[in-house]
C-alpha cells in the first residue's frame, strides 16, 4: 500500500464536504415553494324530454314519450390540454299511466362551501336539478330516479341561489323550486303526478373533448359547446368582481356570454326544434399577489318547442350543460379591505386580507405595510404596486379602503457622504429626489449591513419609520410624503420610532467603508470554492 493513497471512505467524505460547501453558495432564488397540485372536476349532462301524441276528433290519445340522457363525469390532475372523456347515453321509453297520485315527502339539500351538493328526494320521477345563482344557470344533474335515492354532484353557488327539481308528470314536466345556501336544508312538499312506467330501450357511449386551458387575464374569451353534431359559440368580454370561492370572497374576472339561436337538434328517434337559449360563464379566481388560484366554467342551454300536425302534436324540452372546476388545495384567508382602481383604464380589484396579504385581479409586484400618520391615515396603510400588460401603478390603501396615488420618483443624484449619529461617523448615501405628496423610489444599497433612512427637514435629519423602507430584489425601496433630501446611513440599527433624533451632523466624504454586498461575497465564495474543488480532486487522483 502506498502511503499517499486516500482511502475510499475519505474520498467520499471529501466529496460530501465539497458538495456541502457548494450548497452554501446556491442562491436562495433557486429554491421554490411547491404549489398545490391543480385538480380538474368535470360534469356534463344532456337531458331531452319528448312527447308525441296522436289526436282523434280533437281528443289526444296514445302518447309516445321518450326521455334521452347523456352524462359524463371526470376528475383528474390538471393536464393543461384537451382530454377525451367517455359519455354514457341512455334512451328510455316512458309509458304514462291513468293514475294521478299524490306524493308527500321531503326534499333534503346539503351544500358544502366547496360546491359539493347532496340531494335526497322522497318524491319519485325526478329527472333534473337546475341551479341558479347570480344569474348563472347550471344543469347540476340529469338522470331518472324512481324512488328515494341520493344524488351527489358539484355546483357553483355565489353566496346564495335557488334549485329547481324537475319531475316527469305523465307526458309533461313539473317543476318545484327551493332556496339554496351552504348547509343542510329540509323541505316538505306535496306533488300530484301522473305515474309513469319507464323502460330502457338503448344504452351506448360516446367520446367528448374536454378543454383544460385557463382563460387569459384581461382578454375576451371565445366559448363553444358541442351538442348533437352542432356547435354553439359565443364571445364574451370580462368584468371584475368579488366572487365566492370555498366560502370566501376573492377578486375575480368574469366572462359571460349569452344568446338565442335557431337550430334543430337530433337525438336518436326524435328531434328538438325551436330557439336555443345559451349561456356561458367563466370565473377565474385570484389570490395572494394576484396569482390565479383556479377557475370554473359553466355552460347552460335550454330549448323547448312544440309542433302541431293533422293527426298528432309533438313537444320537446331540452336542457344541457357542463360545469368544470380547475382548482388547487389553496387556503383562502378572509379579507376586510377592498379597493377598486384603474390601471390604464383597465378596472382592477384589490383586497387586503386579515393577515395583510394582497389579493388582486392584476399582478402584484410590490406590497408593504407602511406608516402614514402624517396624512391622518390612522397610521397603518398599504403600499401596493400592481401591473397589467406591462403597465404599472403604485397606490396607497388605508385601513378604511381610501386610495391615494403614489408616484414613482427617480433619484436626481446619489452621492457618498459621512453622517455622524451619536458621535460616530457612518458612511451614507445622499439621495436627492423631486416629488410631491406620496412618492416611492429605490436605490441600490452600498453594503450588506444594517442601515437607517433619514430625511432632511428644516436643516436637520429625522429618521423615517422603519416600516417605510424595505428591500426587494436587492433594491432599497423608500416610501414617504417627501422631503427632497434623504440619507441611507449604514451601520446603524433601525428602530420603529418616528420621533426626531434631533440635529445630526453631515459631512461630505466620497470614501466607502464597511462590508461588501452579497454579490461580492458570492464572487469571493466562488473563487474559494473553485480552489477547494481543485485541491480535493488533486488529492483524490494522487497515488
Amino acid at each position: 500500500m502506498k502511503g499517499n493513497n486516500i482511502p475510499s471512505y475519505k474520498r467520499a467524505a471529501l466529496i460530501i464536504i465539497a458538495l456541502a460547501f457548494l450548497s452554501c453558495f446556491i442562491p436562495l432564488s433557486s429554491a421554490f415553494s411547491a404549489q398545490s397540485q391543480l385538480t380538474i372536476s368535470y360534469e356534463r349532462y344532456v337531458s331531452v324530454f319528448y312527447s308525441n301524441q296522436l289526436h282523434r276528433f280533437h281528443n289526444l290519445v296514445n302518447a309516445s314519450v321518450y326521455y334521452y340522457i347523456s352524462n359524463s363525469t371526470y376528475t383528474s390532475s390538471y393536464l393543461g390540454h384537451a382530454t377525451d372523456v367517455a359519455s354514457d347515453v341512455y334512451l328510455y321509453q316512458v309509458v304514462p299511466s291513468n293514475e294521478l297520485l299524490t306524493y308527500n315527502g321531503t326534499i333534503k339539500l346539503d351544500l358544502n362551501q366547496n360546491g359539493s351538493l347532496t340531494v335526497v328526494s322522497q318524491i319519485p320521477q325526478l329527472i333534473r336539478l337546475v341551479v341558479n345563482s347570480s344569474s348563472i344557470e347550471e344543469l347540476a344533474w340529469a338522470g331518472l330516479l324512481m324512488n328515494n335515492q341520493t344524488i351527489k354532484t358539484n355546483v357553483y353557488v355565489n353566496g346564495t341561489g335557488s334549485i329547481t327539481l324537475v319531475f316527469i308528470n305523465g307526458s309533461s314536466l313539473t317543476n318545484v323550486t327551493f332556496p339554496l345556501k351552504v348547509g343542510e336544508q329540509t323541505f316538505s312538499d306535496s306533488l300530484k303526478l301522473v305515474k309513469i312506467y319507464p323502460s330502457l330501450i338503448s344504452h351506448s357511449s360516446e367520446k367528448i373533448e374536454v378543454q383544460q386551458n385557463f382563460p387569459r387575464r384581461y382578454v375576451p374569451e371565445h366559448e363553444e359547446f358541442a351538442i348533437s353534431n352542432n356547435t354553439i359559440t359565443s364571445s364574451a368580454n370580462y368584468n371584475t368582481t368579488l366572487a365566492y370561492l370555498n366560502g370566501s370572497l376573492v377578486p375575480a374576472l368574469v366572462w359571460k356570454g349569452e344568446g338565442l339561436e335557431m337550430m334543430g337538434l337530433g337525438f336518436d328517434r326524435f328531434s328538438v326544434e325551436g330557439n336555443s337559449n345559451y349561456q356561458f360563464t367563466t370565473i377565474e379566481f385570484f389570490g395572494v399577489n394576484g396569482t390565479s388560484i383556479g377557475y370554473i366554467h359553466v355552460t347552460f342551454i335550454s330549448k323547448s318547442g312544440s309542433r302541431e300536425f293533422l293527426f298528432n302534436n309533438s313537444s320537446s324540452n331540452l336542457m344541457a350543460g357542463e360545469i368544470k372546476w380547475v382548482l388547487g388545495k389553496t387556503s383562502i384567508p378572509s379579507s376586510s379591505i377592498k379597493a377598486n382602481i384603474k390601471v390604464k383604464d383597465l378596472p382592477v380589484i384589490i383586497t387586503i386580507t386579515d393577515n395583510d396579504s394582497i389579493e388582486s385581479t392584476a399582478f402584484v409586484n410590490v406590497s408593504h405595510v407602511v406608516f402614514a400618520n402624517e396624512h391622518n391615515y390612522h397610521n397603518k396603510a398599504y403600499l401596493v404596486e400592481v401591473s397589467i400588460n406591462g403597465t404599472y401603478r403604485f397606490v396607497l390603501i388605508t385601513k378604511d379602503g381610501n386610495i391615494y396615488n403614489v408616484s414613482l420618483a427617480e433619484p436626481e443624484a446619489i452621492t457618498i457622504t459621512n453622517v455622524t449619529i451619536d458621535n460616530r461617523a457612518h458612511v451614507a448615501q445622499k439621495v436627492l429626489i423631486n416629488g410631491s405628496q406620496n412618492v416611492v423610489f429605490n436605490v441600490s444599497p452600498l453594503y450588506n449591513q444594517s442601515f437607517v433612512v433619514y430625511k432632511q427637514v428644516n436643516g436637520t435629519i429625522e429618521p423615517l419609520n422603519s416600516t417605510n423602507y424595505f428591500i426587494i430584489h436587492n433594491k432599497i425601496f423608500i416610501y414617504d410624503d417627501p422631503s427632497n433630501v434623504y440619507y441611507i446611513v449604514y451601520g446603524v440599527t433601525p428602530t420603529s420610532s418616528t420621533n426626531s433624533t434631533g440635529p445630526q451632523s453631515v459631512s461630505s466624504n466620497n470614501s466607502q467603508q464597511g462590508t461588501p454586498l452579497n454579490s461580492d461575497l458570492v464572487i469571493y465564495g466562488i473563487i474559494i470554492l473553485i480552489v477547494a474543488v481543485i485541491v480535493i480532486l488533486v488529492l483524490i487522483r494522487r497515488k
Side-chain angles (χ1 to χ4, degrees), residues 10-20 536 540:
K10 287 188 177 181
R11 294 183 185 182
L14 287 170
I15 293 173
I16 292 172
I17 292 171
L19 291 174
I536 291 170
I540 291 175

Side-chain angles (χ1 to χ4, degrees), residues 7-309:
S8 58
Y9 72 89
K10 287 188 177 181
R11 294 183 185 182
L14 287 170
I15 293 173
I16 292 172
I17 292 171
L19 291 174
F21 189 69
L22 175 62
S23 67
C24 295
F25 292 91
I26 295 177
L28 293 178
S29 60
S30 67
F32 63 93
S33 56
Q35 297 180 350
S36 300
Q37 185 180 21
L38 291 173
T39 299
I40 177 172
S41 176
Y42 176 82
E43 295 183 15
R44 171 190 166 113
Y45 300 97
V46 178
S47 170
V48 185
F49 185 79
Y50 176 85
S51 174
N52 184 37
Q53 294 182 304
L54 299 176
H55 55 83
R56 181 183 303 162
F57 305 111
H58 305 291
N59 295 318
L60 296 175
V61 296
N62 299 329
S64 298
V65 181
Y66 294 94
Y67 179 48
Y68 171 98
I69 312 166
S70 171
N71 61 62
S72 310
T73 58
Y74 170 76
T75 300
S76 174
S77 297
Y78 177 73
L79 302 175
H81 57 76
T83 304
D84 287 336
V85 176
S87 178
D88 289 315
V89 180
Y90 303 89
L91 180 63
Y92 289 89
Q93 184 170 20
V94 178
V95 179
S97 70
N98 294 322
E99 302 175 84
L100 180 62
L101 302 180
T102 300
Y103 294 97
N104 297 305
T106 59
I107 308 294
K108 294 182 179 180
L109 309 175
D110 185 5
L111 176 64
N112 291 330
Q113 287 185 344
N114 63 5
S116 63
L117 174 66
T118 302
V119 178
V120 180
S121 172
Q122 292 183 344
I123 300 176
Q125 303 178 190
L126 176 64
I127 64 167
R128 294 172 186 161
L129 299 176
V130 183
V131 170
N132 190 310
S133 177
S134 298
S135 300
I136 302 173
E137 287 192 276
E138 307 165 46
L139 181 58
W141 172 86
L144 177 58
L145 293 188
M146 294 301 295
N147 48 40
N148 188 353
Q149 291 181 321
T150 299
I151 300 170
K152 292 184 179 293
T153 187
N154 293 305
V155 298
Y156 177 72
V157 177
N158 192 22
T160 60
S162 64
I163 184 169
T164 298
L165 283 71
V166 182
F167 299 88
I168 295 180
N169 187 3
S171 58
S172 62
L173 300 175
T174 295
N175 298 343
V176 179
T177 301
F178 302 102
L180 184 60
K181 61 181 181 180
V182 172
E184 295 184 8
Q185 300 178 89
T186 301
F187 302 94
S188 297
D189 207 346
S190 177
L191 286 182
K192 290 185 177 181
L193 301 175
V194 175
K195 187 176 182 179
I196 62 168
Y197 295 94
S199 60
L200 180 64
I201 58 177
S202 70
H203 173 219
S204 60
S205 63
E206 60 186 11
K207 294 286 187 181
I208 60 171
E209 187 177 76
V210 179
Q211 298 291 334
Q212 297 191 29
N213 50 305
F214 268 74
R216 293 178 296 168
R217 194 181 310 217
Y218 285 93
V219 175
E221 276 286 292
H222 178 78
E223 314 281 6
E224 60 182 39
F225 183 79
I227 180 172
S228 180
N229 296 321
N230 286 274
T231 301
I232 299 175
T233 62
S234 176
S235 294
N237 211 342
Y238 57 84
N239 287 308
T240 56
T241 188
L242 290 178
Y244 277 96
L245 180 63
N246 292 341
S248 297
L249 282 171
V250 298
L253 288 174
V254 179
W255 294 264
K256 191 168 185 178
E258 54 189 1
L260 183 69
E261 186 170 337
M262 174 70 75
M263 63 169 54
L265 301 175
F267 298 92
D268 206 322
R269 305 185 182 190
F270 53 87
S271 63
V272 181
E273 304 295 333
N275 290 326
S276 295
N277 296 280
Y278 59 86
Q279 180 186 102
F280 298 95
T281 305
T282 300
I283 305 176
E284 185 173 10
F285 306 96
F286 299 95
V288 175
N289 294 332
T291 56
S292 177
I293 53 179
Y295 76 97
I296 66 163
H297 173 74
V298 178
T299 300
F300 180 80
I301 299 173
S302 64
K303 185 183 185 75
S304 60
S306 61
R307 303 178 69 180
E308 293 186 6
F309 299 97

